[in-house]
Amino acid sequence: MIRRCFGVAMALLFAFVACGQQRPNIILVLADDMGYSDLSCYGNPVIRTPFLDRMARMGVRGTNYVVPSPSCTPSRASLLTGRYASRMNLPAPIGPGSPLGMPDREVTIAEMLKGVGYSTAMIGKWHLGDHPANHPMAQGFDSYFGLLYSHDYHEPYVKTDTTLRIFRDHAAAVVRPADSSLVELYTREAVNYIGRQRKGKPFFLYLAHNMPHLPVAFASSSANKGRSDGGALGDVVEQLDSSLGVVWRAVEAAGLADNTIFIFSSDNGPWIEFPERMSGDGATKRWHAGTAGIFRGSKGQSYEGGVREPFIVYWKGHTPVGAMVTSMISGLDVLPTLAEWTGAPLPRGRTLDGQSVSDVLLGKADRHPAHRAIYYYNNAVCEAVRLGDWKYREVKAGGDKGIVGGGQAGAKELFNLSWDPSERTNVIGEFPEKLRELKELFDRFPGMTEN
């Protein structure tokens, strides 16, 4: 698959050069801890998200998109590299000063695109290390503006002596930013960045919002408090949606909308099973976490609720209008797909775990084309494997009690996610041949070596 993608990428590269066509601009938006059903276009009955609904109507809406890890650091590492985070020793969320981080030898989407002439910028939450070699600007981004961690890395949520700062490149720009300022600050920065772009020089903007990660009680700006019937969560989700509309209008005003790919998703599912420490502010309530729709589970768990996410892709004249994509897609697939779309060579010396899903997103593939097995990596171990509609899950009791209140119960489970997307019925005793097939795949998890 990698050889085929490389050949396609080179063919596209020559095509771009031959006809003088500009490579597409790319805006990759990542929400934080958003639930599958936190958007109205994914079934929320009270939260209104007209901008993202519109992008889904104009483009494609994935309903079977999963991230390879149900927590932020490993999920983000996989998104940016197309590789399991286990290959780079990022098993779980890392805190300030951690010796872990995105290794310099990894090749991110930004580094890949810079190799074919892209300007690159990151705005928002990084959470992949704070040492110089781990910094966004050491990982292919020309500029950076944002928080290096989640906005809850302070008392009473996390015991740390670190002072939260928004950085501009390597210098602190805002000390102790208010939660309610983050969406507006990132939006203003994104609009300014887009305003500086010109036709003839493609850009890649990675806009990684901190919201709607808990706490959301203080997250929406004063102008947005009470705007939603969905309470504090609804206020910040609706503000986030509105802010993305502002960003896209800046793209239109710059005359770049016809050749800009817009992608929206989240790093992992909603933090439904959050530990009690998150309620230490006296304001955070259980209903402030998002919802996973029909899917079982939470952030920090390898049930579908922890990994199944909204996935919206719009590219004018390329993605089919208003299509619902039900084929299996992984966050690992974003890098190889963008390589194919931009004619960028795939990273050398790196084993990719994702595959290009270009044909699926452009409406050129069969309804359910074959996809390689997808593994769910959580807390330093593989906890599940998916192949087609089938999923095998094997979890030891305990787990990381800092992410999921009370840890996880031990289990060995087999589900058919087409028949039973809510994972209500363990059919491990009914399909011995399918169990044997998936158990063999599970035991061969390839992500425990660098390559």
Side-chain angles (χ1 to χ4, degrees), residues 95-111:
S98 170
L100 303 180
M102 177 79 80
D104 184 58
R105 61 185 173 272
E106 295 299 326
V107 180
T108 65
I109 294 173
E111 289 172 299

Side-chain angles (χ1 to χ4, degrees), residues 197-212:
Q197 306 311 305
R198 295 293 181 267
K199 292 181 180 179
K201 176 73 170 177
F203 71 86
F204 169 55
L205 171 60
Y206 175 41
L207 176 56
H209 277 281
N210 287 78
M211 302 301 168

Side-chain angles (χ1 to χ4, degrees), residues 35-72:
Y36 179 87
S37 58
D38 285 348
L39 306 177
S40 49
C41 55
Y42 279 84
N44 196 287
V46 292
I47 298 175
R48 294 167 293 182
T49 52
F51 172 73
L52 288 171
D53 295 356
R54 173 184 167 228
M55 299 305 273
R57 288 194 305 270
M58 295 194 305
V60 298
R61 175 171 57 96
T63 60
N64 205 352
Y65 171 86
V66 295
V67 295
S69 182
S71 64
C72 53

Side-chain angles (χ1 to χ4, degrees), residues 374-405:
I374 295 174
Y375 294 86
Y376 298 179
Y377 174 72
N378 188 26
N379 294 322
V381 296
C382 174
E383 289 191 349
V385 62
R386 274 194 66 185
L387 185 65
D389 293 331
W390 290 92
K391 175 180 177 181
Y392 174 74
R393 183 173 180 269
E394 182 177 314
V395 179
K396 294 180 179 180
D400 187 345
K401 295 179 175 60
I403 296 177
V404 180

Side-chain angles (χ1 to χ4, degrees), residues 62-227:
T63 60
N64 205 352
Y65 171 86
V66 295
V67 295
S69 182
S71 64
C72 53
T73 292
S75 176
R76 290 162 189 262
S78 291
L79 173 70
L80 288 176
T81 64
R83 291 159 48 83
Y84 289 114
S86 51
R87 296 192 187 277
M88 55 199 90
N89 192 25
L90 290 172
I94 58 176
S98 170
L100 303 180
M102 177 79 80
D104 184 58
R105 61 185 173 272
E106 295 299 326
V107 180
T108 65
I109 294 173
E111 289 172 299
M112 179 184 76
L113 294 177
K114 276 181 69 68
V116 290
Y118 275 73
S119 298
T120 60
M122 183 186 172
I123 298 170
K125 173 184 169 180
W126 176 238
H127 216 157
L128 292 172
D130 56 7
H131 298 289
N134 313 134
H135 191 274
M137 295 182 70
Q139 300 291 339
F141 292 100
D142 297 327
S143 63
Y144 174 63
F145 180 86
L147 288 171
L148 291 172
Y149 311 99
S150 305
H151 63 288
D152 65 330
Y153 269 80
H154 59 81
E155 295 282 358
Y157 314 109
V158 178
K159 297 185 183 301
T160 176
D161 57 3
T162 297
T163 300
L164 281 181
R165 296 174 173 86
I166 290 179
F167 286 88
R168 181 177 298 284
D169 297 339
H170 294 281
V174 182
V175 178
R176 296 187 181 88
D179 294 357
S180 59
S181 71
L182 295 179
V183 172
E184 292 183 345
L185 285 171
Y186 294 167
T187 302
R188 187 179 309 128
E189 191 72 15
V191 168
N192 289 339
Y193 174 76
I194 291 165
R196 296 193 298 271
Q197 306 311 305
R198 295 293 181 267
K199 292 181 180 179
K201 176 73 170 177
F203 71 86
F204 169 55
L205 171 60
Y206 175 41
L207 176 56
H209 277 281
N210 287 78
M211 302 301 168
H213 188 296
L214 295 175
V216 297
F218 321 107
S220 57
S221 65
S222 57
N224 287 277
K225 286 189 181 297
R227 68 175 285 169

Side-chain angles (χ1 to χ4, degrees), residues 358-377:
S358 173
D359 286 353
V360 172
L361 296 177
L362 300 184
K364 299 177 180 178
D366 295 337
R367 185 166 176 265
H368 290 292
H371 195 291
R372 66 180 66 173
I374 295 174
Y375 294 86
Y376 298 179
Y377 174 72

Side-chain angles (χ1 to χ4, degrees), residues 299-370:
K299 170 183 176 175
Q301 297 177 344
S302 50
Y303 289 118
E304 290 299 289
V307 296
R308 189 79 68 105
E309 290 303 314
F311 188 62
I312 298 169
V313 183
Y314 169 68
W315 185 11
K316 185 176 180 179
H318 296 270
T319 48
V321 176
M324 183 173 76
V325 175
T326 60
S327 298
M328 186 168 72
I329 301 174
S330 167
L332 297 162
D333 301 335
V334 173
L335 181 146
T337 301
L338 291 178
E340 184 164 341
W341 286 352
T342 61
L346 291 170
R348 294 183 179 275
R350 302 285 90 187
T351 296
L352 293 189
D353 298 302
Q355 65 187 67
S356 174
V357 291
S358 173
D359 286 353
V360 172
L361 296 177
L362 300 184
K364 299 177 180 178
D366 295 337
R367 185 166 176 265
H368 290 292

Side-chain angles (χ1 to χ4, degrees), residues 3-4 94 116 160 188 248 252 266 419 426 445 449:
R3 189 180 296 111
R4 186 190 73 82
I94 58 176
V116 290
T160 176
R188 187 179 309 128
W248 189 252
E252 293 174 327
S266 179
W419 306 335
N426 181 7
F445 172 54
T449 59

